[in-house]
């Protein structure tokens, strides 16, 4: 067996572990999933799992990174369709809200993420993905005068916190109108940032 074939098999095993653990974590939650369930679903041994990940928490971190990167890519794709920086910003914020209402994403990214990794590590990961895009968009809007001059970091944290809280609230809502109402409220809140 060549090194290339071995490397490909290792990557396939890692991808399978990520896919199956993500499915289980999103369905059952981190605390309810055991390593034996993960390796059973992936069709590998615990030794194979430990070859790729030191612990269940490290495996979860890799799943969370994957989810955060996907959400950030989705936000960027929605925003990049727009030409106007303000529209890019507002479409990106709305895209985050829509993406984060997916129960699987909520559980991994917003519920289990901070609980498993701790607030500091979770926050750093968030800032490296969608948080970075939000801060960049605000920087452009402030520079061009669309948003009044102010420090970007506190504003980005306030907006991120509001959107995360809205997504968590929507997760428990049973009223189908709440998403539309929340989207309108977010649009009004963002519009209030515009310099007059």
């Amino acid at each position: 067996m060549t090194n290339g074939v071995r490397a490909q098999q290792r990557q396939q095993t890692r991808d399978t572990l990520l896919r199956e653990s993500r499915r289980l974590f999103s369905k059952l939650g981190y605390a309810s999933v055991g390593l034996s369930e993960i390796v059973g679903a992936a069709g590998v041994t615990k030794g194979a799992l430990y070859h790729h990940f030191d612990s269940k928490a490290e495996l979860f971190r890799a799943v969370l990174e994957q989810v955060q990167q996907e959400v950030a890519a989705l936000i960027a794709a929605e925003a990049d369709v727009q030409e106007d920086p303000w529209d890019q910003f507002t479409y990106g914020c709305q895209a985050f809200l829509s993406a984060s209402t997916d129960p699987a994403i909520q559980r991994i990214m917003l519920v289990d993420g901070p609980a498993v990794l701790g607030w500091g590590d979770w926050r750093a990961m968030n800032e490296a993905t969608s948080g970075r895009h939000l801060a960049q968009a605000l920087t452009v809007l402030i520079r061009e005068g669309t948003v009044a001059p102010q420090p970007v970091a506190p504003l980005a944290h306030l907006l991120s916190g509001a959107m995360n809280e809205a997504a968590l609230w929507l997760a428990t809502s049973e009223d189908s109108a709440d998403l539309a109402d929340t989207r309108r409220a977010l649009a009004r809140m963002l519009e209030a940032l515009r310099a007059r």
Side-chain angles (χ1 to χ4, degrees):
M1 188 179 301
T2 66
N3 286 340
V5 172
R6 276 193 215 103
Q8 186 178 22
Q9 287 176 335
R10 281 192 299 273
Q11 188 59 48
Q12 286 174 342
T13 299
R14 187 178 196 284
D15 292 345
T16 301
L17 284 164
L18 286 170
R19 182 183 65 247
E20 293 303 321
S21 60
R22 179 175 176 170
R23 182 181 62 78
L24 290 166
F25 290 148
S26 67
K27 183 179 176 186
L28 305 171
Y30 176 84
S32 298
V33 177
L35 289 179
S36 57
E37 256 180 297
I38 293 169
V39 297
V44 301
T45 65
K46 281 190 180 179
L49 183 143
Y50 285 122
H51 176 75
H52 294 279
F53 304 99
D54 290 338
S55 64
K56 182 173 124 178
E58 186 181 320
L59 175 58
F60 179 82
R61 177 186 290 274
V63 168
L64 176 59
E65 284 173 353
Q66 187 181 67
V67 169
Q68 285 185 325
Q69 288 168 359
E70 288 172 12
V71 170
L74 177 76
I75 292 167
E78 286 284 325
D80 290 347
V81 170
Q82 307 304 313
E83 291 186 24
D84 178 70
W86 176 258
D87 291 339
Q88 289 175 342
F89 170 64
T90 58
Y91 275 71
C93 289
Q94 293 287 357
F96 170 81
L97 190 61
S98 295
S100 62
T101 56
D102 177 334
I105 288 175
Q106 283 173 340
R107 176 166 280 191
I108 290 171
M109 192 169 77
L110 300 172
V111 176
D112 285 345
V116 173
L117 300 182
W119 179 255
D121 283 353
W122 177 83
R123 190 77 204 128
M125 288 176 71
N126 186 58
E127 286 181 27
T129 52
S130 21
R132 180 173 43 89
H133 293 294
L134 180 60
Q136 288 170 343
L138 288 168
T139 299
V140 168
L141 293 171
I142 290 168
R143 188 179 318 124
E144 72 177 16
T146 304
V147 171
Q150 59 189 292
V152 170
L155 182 57
H157 284 280
L158 285 167
L159 289 173
S160 178
M163 290 185 285
N164 286 340
E165 181 61 29
L168 288 170
W169 174 70
L170 287 168
T172 62
S173 171
E174 295 180 12
D175 187 342
S176 59
D178 283 344
L179 176 58
D181 290 343
T182 303
R183 290 175 65 85
R184 284 190 291 274
L186 177 60
R188 288 190 296 272
M189 185 176 80
L190 297 177
E191 189 62 33
L193 294 174
R194 272 207 210 234
R196 299 288 179 236

